[in-house]
Amino acid sequence: MKLHELSPAAGSKKEVKRIGRGAGSGQGKTAGKGHKGQKARAGRGMRPGFEGGQMPLQRRVPKRGFVNIFGKEFSIVNVSALDQAFEDGAVVDIDALIAKGLVKKVLDGVKILGNGEISKKLTVQVNAYSEAAKQKIEAAGGKAEVI
């Protein structure tokens, strides 16, 4: 193969649409822009959200709430999920939860919540617990350790 034999892949190059070049081209006269108005003018770009000078929606709607810069967002797991996923006497830490698919993404840590029942004796090592979760784990004979 030689340089002069190279050609682009089929469909990768597009012909430029030559607008405003006479009635016979099918794109003459108004060149596909319709008749007059702001959208027919050159350099007509309007910013997103522009409503023709009317007060835009994002300025008409009042602001609400705030973002707590000290807030923590935990990935949550219920004790019922622990009971189903782990065997009796297992050590449950963040790596084990990820391996079992109970936690997809560790945000600011993992928190165990008390929804459901637990009957297995587990040693759980995560960042936070709800009071109910801690009581249920310890009632089943396990340990709830904060890391």
Side-chain angles (χ1 to χ4, degrees), residues 84-116:
Q84 292 173 359
F86 294 97
E87 291 77 41
D88 200 24
V91 176
V92 180
D93 59 356
I94 293 173
D95 295 329
L97 291 169
I98 292 169
K100 292 280 186 182
L102 296 177
V103 172
K104 302 274 188 287
K105 187 176 176 185
V106 179
L107 304 165
D108 291 324
V110 175
K111 184 171 183 173
I112 306 294
L113 300 182
N115 193 4

Side-chain angles (χ1 to χ4, degrees), residues 79 82 87-93 112 118-130 132-147:
V79 290
L82 297 179
E87 291 77 41
D88 200 24
V91 176
V92 180
D93 59 356
I112 306 294
I118 186 166
S119 58
K120 296 175 182 160
K121 191 175 174 179
L122 301 173
T123 304
V124 186
Q125 301 169 336
V126 294
N127 304 91
Y129 301 88
S130 68
K134 198 168 194 173
Q135 288 171 1
K136 287 181 182 182
I137 291 167
E138 288 169 355
K143 287 186 198 162
E145 299 173 1
V146 177
I147 54 168

Side-chain angles (χ1 to χ4, degrees), residues 48-104:
F50 182 67
E51 297 185 19
Q54 171 177 296
M55 186 63 68
L57 181 67
Q58 73 270 18
R59 290 191 57 197
R60 290 196 306 264
V61 176
K63 294 193 283 186
R64 280 184 56 89
F66 74 105
V67 175
N68 182 1
I69 61 170
F70 301 108
K72 300 269 186 264
E73 192 175 352
F74 291 107
S75 299
I76 60 167
V77 179
N78 282 302
V79 290
S80 58
L82 297 179
D83 197 46
Q84 292 173 359
F86 294 97
E87 291 77 41
D88 200 24
V91 176
V92 180
D93 59 356
I94 293 173
D95 295 329
L97 291 169
I98 292 169
K100 292 280 186 182
L102 296 177
V103 172
K104 302 274 188 287

Side-chain angles (χ1 to χ4, degrees), residues 33 37-47 50:
K33 289 177 176 277
Q38 187 176 22
K39 292 180 181 177
R41 312 293 186 213
R44 72 172 183 99
M46 287 162 282
R47 67 184 177 276
F50 182 67

